[in-house]
Amino acid sequence: MDTTHTDRCAECAGALPTSGDCWTRLHELLEIETRVLPTLEPEAGMRAHFFAVATYQLQHPSRLTRETLDRLRAAVDEMTGPSAPPIAHLRRDMGRFAAGSRKVTRSAAPTDRSHLDRRWPVSWSVTAHDVTKGQESEYPDAVGRWAVATLADLRAALAATPRHGG
């Protein structure tokens, strides 16, 4: 039974869950993780978790500062690359980035994109909704593919010629 509304998220254009709040999708991913990640080698489990949370955040940029989004995007790019470091390295780097007085989050409406390049996508080729519809046994690969697709969508959008002074 499909429990989604026909409404779409203002930030990712994915189908909204019954709650009407796309943030629920992140919780659905974390629920899947409670069942799947314990069956994985720790490195693979932590990497899958990183991809899920980071990719969700990149597709819902109203919650993070521009500096944080830029760092998160670079981290996803690094972790999907051919020479990805151990996840512990990334966790240390991200912890140092977020430490101290640096502001990493922001309170804004999902439609507030004032801190972004105007070309930042509002529609994505793969969303959290797509990942939650897949087989749980495919979850680690699915979140990795989601991360790669999100980076590709970002690269394509940001490489496009700015419109109207963007």
Side-chain angles (χ1 to χ4, degrees):
M1 174 163 135
D2 188 1
T3 59
T4 58
H5 290 124
T6 56
D7 295 333
R8 298 283 173 178
C9 173
E11 291 194 272
C12 74
L16 287 173
T18 305
S19 69
D21 183 0
C22 201
W23 185 247
T24 302
R25 291 281 182 228
L26 182 59
H27 295 280
E28 290 175 17
L29 294 170
L30 298 177
E31 188 176 309
I32 292 168
E33 287 185 5
T34 64
R35 293 185 295 274
V36 173
L37 300 192
T39 67
L40 302 176
E41 178 251 329
E43 178 74 14
M46 287 188 287
R47 191 173 299 269
H49 175 72
F50 168 72
F51 286 146
V53 173
T55 304
Y56 181 89
Q57 293 290 18
L58 288 172
Q59 290 187 355
H60 296 82
S62 66
R63 297 177 180 271
L64 300 177
T65 65
R66 178 56 195 246
E67 182 183 20
T68 304
L69 288 164
D70 289 344
R71 179 63 190 106
L72 196 56
R73 180 178 170 207
V76 172
D77 192 40
E78 180 181 27
M79 295 309 287
T80 58
S83 301
I87 196 74
H89 172 79
L90 171 78
R91 291 171 64 122
R92 277 191 304 277
D93 284 353
M94 293 304 288
R96 282 192 288 264
F97 174 82
S101 61
R102 175 176 290 147
K103 185 166 173 51
V104 296
T105 61
R106 63 191 292 268
S107 295
T111 55
D112 179 358
R113 300 170 64 79
S114 61
H115 65 305
L116 298 173
D117 183 308
R118 295 171 90 162
R119 298 169 294 172
W120 196 278
V122 292
S123 183
W124 304 86
S125 58
V126 180
T127 67
H129 176 65
D130 299 315
V131 175
T132 62
K133 290 188 321 185
Q135 296 292 319
E136 287 190 2
S137 61
E138 297 294 319
Y139 181 81
D141 291 333
V143 292
R145 287 190 303 270
W146 179 31
V148 169
T150 296
L151 289 176
D153 291 346
L154 273 168
R155 283 188 195 105
L158 297 177
T161 303
R163 290 181 275 170
H164 302 74

